[in-house]
Amino acid sequence: MSSCRERRRYLGYHRQKSAQSKGELRLRVLEAQCVNRIRPSINRGVWVYNDDDTRGEASAMYNGLVTNSSKEMMCFSDFAFPPEYPPYLSTHHVIKYYRDYAKYYDIEKYIKFNTEVVDVSPTDDNQTTGQWNVTTRQRDQEQLIEQTDIFDAVMVCTGCHSKCKIPEHPGMDEFKGQIIHSNTFRRGEDFAGQNVLVVGASHSAGDAATQCSHHAKSTYISLRNGCYVLARRGPKGMPMDSVANRRFSSNLPGFIRSKMLSSLVESRMDVDNLGLRSDKKDVFSSSIMVSDSLPDRILNGTLKVKADIERFTENGVKFVDGSCIEDIDTVIFATGYDTTFPFITREIFDETKMELFKHILSPKYTTLAFVGAVGAPGAQGPVFELQARWTVSVFSGSVKLPDLETRQIEAKERVDNMLKQYGYLKIKFAPVPYQEELASDIGVKPTLDMFLIDPKLAAKVFFGPAYPPSYRLKGPHTWAGARQAIMNGWENTTNPTKTRHITKQNGLNPIFPAIVLFALILAIIF
């Protein structure tokens, strides 16, 4: 059993401002709750919103959550979102889409629900058969039933957001306010009348801070190194991710892409006056936050930006720039997660190193793959889908692997590059180049000969958004609806918002943003 401190960090903790005995009783209650709640959530999926404070269980959905990626960029490559869905989606849109997908392809019969995987280990003859023992646990009424089955291959698809991470700061034990992780955040109105500090520089930090700023007495957000704040609306009102993630621009040198994105951010706000400027000039090495309203909340005084935390005091926080807040009721740490796979021992795979061939495959065990253990600015679902398709191609033998030494060297080089870019272990990269790499391996990458066969489609594919259906145009497992999905991408994005008829003389050419970006590149170079 983990220590009291570890359990309190996992859940967040609250120490009563009254007598110490009551505070100790509260801590003992939290410890007892932790024993039950640290188990995987039952009957609750990641996208299922629940009002309860789930204390670190699977779902971290909060009221009012809207996707950071637009629907045309985050769809499955062979299943378009309904055209009537808005460009950016609420949780009920997303969960219905996934359920519709499962129903359409009749895959629920292959899913064993309400089942916890407790151990994955190689069989005694794994070196020759590649097989695995998988032990699962199910609750039958009041009884837990365990069973072990043998599988030819295993894909671990639990992702990298599993164990809440709260950094250590001096004085935390003496702080009398409430400390929670953003995983337990549900509504801004829960903090009405309080003084709230949100810690973090990514999407959930921005959402928690802006929601609290509508209800709290005062709201602050602490940024360690600053961040780049992107709106969902890009140039000419196009979804930002559909502008940023395109094949032609992804082939540009990194410093040019970083300069283009930083120039766009600074054209919309004064990052110095708002206290948001990142210490890192390279956008892709810095924290990126998607938030439409955070700059406005700063401008109207309901949200204030603070530096990194130096230490906690009994009732407040002191920051590294010397400033202090003397009366804090709640601190919300939106500081991410530690990647962990508790059902696999570190002798099999060490998640503290994350050395995986192609960021997917165990170099040593070629029938053990990790899908979704990466991050990307923009839609991540299509990245995970291509990882799954690549893995299946490896398992089936259609993609041949290099020797063990080559796989180990390649896996370490990828991690070393991440360490060099971020200064710590963070597996996050631009999605399009990585998707193209995997797509090339399995034979589904779009090629330039499309310009001879279907020039209109080719223009959309190479200069327009990198829509997921572009990986269903050729190679194995093509989709008959791929061309239509790509050609109608802009129409499906804009039509749901056209609820008032307006006559325009000149409509927006979907290729126009590409021309604008090309002009901007020339301006930067010359």
Side-chain angles (χ1 to χ4, degrees):
M1 183 175 290
S2 60
S3 68
C4 170
R5 175 134 181 112
E6 289 172 335
R7 288 194 294 272
R8 285 161 53 198
R9 287 186 61 208
Y10 180 82
L11 294 171
Y13 62 92
H14 176 70
R15 186 167 290 191
Q16 298 285 348
K17 292 187 177 181
S18 55
Q20 183 177 1
S21 60
K22 291 183 179 179
E24 292 173 350
L25 175 61
R26 171 63 172 164
L27 289 177
R28 285 199 297 272
V29 171
L30 283 182
E31 289 174 18
Q33 290 173 340
C34 181
V35 174
N36 293 322
R37 286 175 170 170
I38 203 169
R39 295 172 183 158
S41 176
I42 300 298
N43 294 322
R44 188 175 296 156
V46 172
W47 281 96
V48 178
Y49 172 76
N50 190 286
D51 280 326
D52 295 337
D53 179 355
T54 57
R55 297 285 179 187
E57 288 185 351
S59 178
M61 296 298 104
Y62 43 85
N63 189 40
L65 183 145
V66 177
T67 59
N68 298 322
S69 303
S70 60
K71 65 172 184 176
E72 297 301 309
M73 295 296 288
M74 65 178 285
C75 66
F76 285 114
S77 61
D78 56 354
F79 195 74
F81 272 97
E84 65 271 16
Y85 277 22
Y88 288 93
L89 308 165
S90 299
T91 54
H92 68 274
H93 289 119
V94 178
I95 190 64
K96 186 177 187 307
Y97 171 78
Y98 288 146
R99 286 170 174 163
D100 289 345
Y101 179 89
K103 181 178 180 180
Y104 183 83
Y105 286 104
D106 193 25
I107 62 176
E108 283 196 12
K109 62 186 179 184
Y110 301 109
I111 303 173
K112 186 181 290 187
F113 293 97
N114 297 333
T115 302
E116 177 187 2
V117 176
V118 295
D119 184 72
V120 174
S121 57
T123 58
D124 292 338
D125 58 354
N126 176 273
Q127 291 300 312
T128 55
T129 66
Q131 292 182 329
W132 296 84
N133 292 314
V134 178
T135 302
T136 57
R137 179 186 297 153
Q138 281 187 303
R139 182 177 293 277
D140 183 11
Q141 296 180 350
E142 295 303 317
Q143 184 180 9
L144 287 176
I145 300 175
E146 285 193 4
Q147 72 177 59
T148 300
D149 298 290
I150 296 177
F151 291 89
D152 294 321
V154 172
M155 297 170 66
V156 179
C157 305
T158 53
C160 51
H161 301 120
S162 52
K163 184 181 179 182
C164 302
K165 178 169 62 178
I166 294 182
E168 295 280 358
H169 290 286
M172 287 179 74
D173 285 337
E174 287 73 40
F175 180 63
K176 291 184 176 179
Q178 178 181 213
I179 295 178
I180 66 173
H181 191 274
S182 58
N183 181 279
T184 68
F185 177 84
R186 290 297 175 265
R187 295 163 298 271
E189 53 263 38
D190 292 341
F191 305 90
Q194 294 189 24
N195 297 315
V196 178
L197 172 66
V198 178
V199 183
S202 195
H203 319 306
S204 59
D207 286 348
T210 54
Q211 285 201 30
C212 286
S213 71
H214 288 276
H215 304 277
K217 181 180 179 181
S218 62
T219 307
Y220 306 86
I221 184 169
S222 169
L223 305 177
R224 181 175 56 183
N225 302 115
C227 64
Y228 288 88
V229 179
L230 300 176
R232 289 177 175 82
R233 288 171 287 107
K236 296 294 182 179
M238 293 192 74
M240 177 61 75
D241 60 343
S242 70
V243 175
N245 292 320
R246 300 177 175 223
R247 286 180 172 83
F248 92 97
S249 58
S250 295
N251 289 321
L252 297 172
F255 77 92
I256 294 181
R257 291 188 288 114
S258 177
K259 181 64 176 177
M260 290 166 60
L261 194 54
S262 63
S263 297
L264 179 60
V265 170
E266 296 199 33
S267 71
R268 297 186 168 191
M269 66 189 77
D270 189 319
V271 293
D272 294 314
N273 287 342
L274 297 180
L276 297 172
R277 180 174 292 281
S278 173
D279 297 343
K280 300 179 180 180
K281 293 184 178 180
D282 180 11
V283 174
F284 304 108
S285 296
S286 180
S287 296
I288 297 177
M289 177 190 297
V290 174
S291 177
D292 299 315
S293 56
L294 184 132
D296 293 336
R297 302 307 292 175
I298 298 173
L299 286 172
N300 66 27
T302 56
L303 177 61
K304 295 179 174 62
V305 180
K306 303 298 292 183
D308 192 19
I309 294 174
E310 179 180 302
R311 65 172 293 108
F312 280 76
T313 63
E314 188 174 301
N315 296 304
V317 173
K318 182 179 180 181
F319 300 94
V320 294
D321 59 4
S323 63
C324 299
I325 305 174
E326 298 296 342
D327 187 16
I328 293 291
D329 298 295
T330 299
V331 178
I332 303 173
F333 277 96
T335 43
Y337 299 80
D338 287 320
T339 301
T340 180
F341 306 103
F343 43 83
I344 297 178
T345 65
R346 288 188 178 173
E347 287 74 21
I348 298 172
F349 177 72
D350 189 349
E351 70 268 23
T352 65
K353 296 181 179 179
M354 290 302 294
E355 293 179 359
L356 293 167
F357 179 65
K358 300 275 184 176
H359 291 305
I360 304 172
L361 199 69
S362 165
K364 180 179 179 181
Y365 298 99
T366 57
T367 53
L368 176 63
F370 295 80
V371 173
V374 299
Q380 300 185 55
V383 176
F384 303 160
E385 183 189 356
L386 273 171
Q387 285 188 317
R389 295 178 68 185
W390 183 90
T391 301
V392 171
S393 297
V394 170
F395 290 168
S396 66
S398 59
V399 168
K400 304 300 180 183
L401 296 175
D403 60 68
L404 173 60
E405 182 180 1
T406 301
R407 296 196 301 271
Q408 290 175 327
I409 292 173
E410 193 266 12
K412 188 175 186 306
E413 285 179 349
R414 287 180 184 264
V415 172
D416 289 344
N417 289 336
M418 297 291 101
L419 290 170
K420 182 179 179 181
Q421 180 173 351
Y422 295 107
Y424 61 97
L425 184 58
K426 181 178 181 179
I427 311 299
K428 187 174 184 178
F429 39 75
V432 174
Y434 179 65
Q435 290 177 166
E436 297 284 88
E437 177 186 353
L438 299 182
S440 178
D441 285 351
I442 62 179
V444 298
K445 178 183 175 181
T447 51
L448 292 175
D449 59 0
M450 288 178 58
F451 281 99
L452 300 176
I453 303 168
D454 192 339
K456 288 185 178 180
L457 176 62
K460 294 272 190 181
V461 167
F462 288 96
F463 294 102
Y467 292 138
S470 61
Y471 297 115
R472 295 285 181 175
L473 293 169
K474 59 176 294 185
H477 309 293
T478 57
W479 177 42
R483 185 185 190 281
Q484 182 180 2
I486 296 167
M487 298 301 291
N488 293 346
W490 175 241
E491 181 182 353
N492 289 342
T493 299
T494 58
N495 275 352
T497 63
K498 294 180 179 179
T499 54
R500 173 175 172 255
H501 179 72
I502 296 176
T503 302
K504 293 180 66 176
Q505 293 182 350
N506 295 309
L508 173 67
N509 188 329
I511 304 301
F512 181 73
I515 300 174
V516 173
L517 288 175
F518 183 70
L520 182 59
I521 294 168
L522 294 178
I524 292 172
I525 295 175
F526 298 105

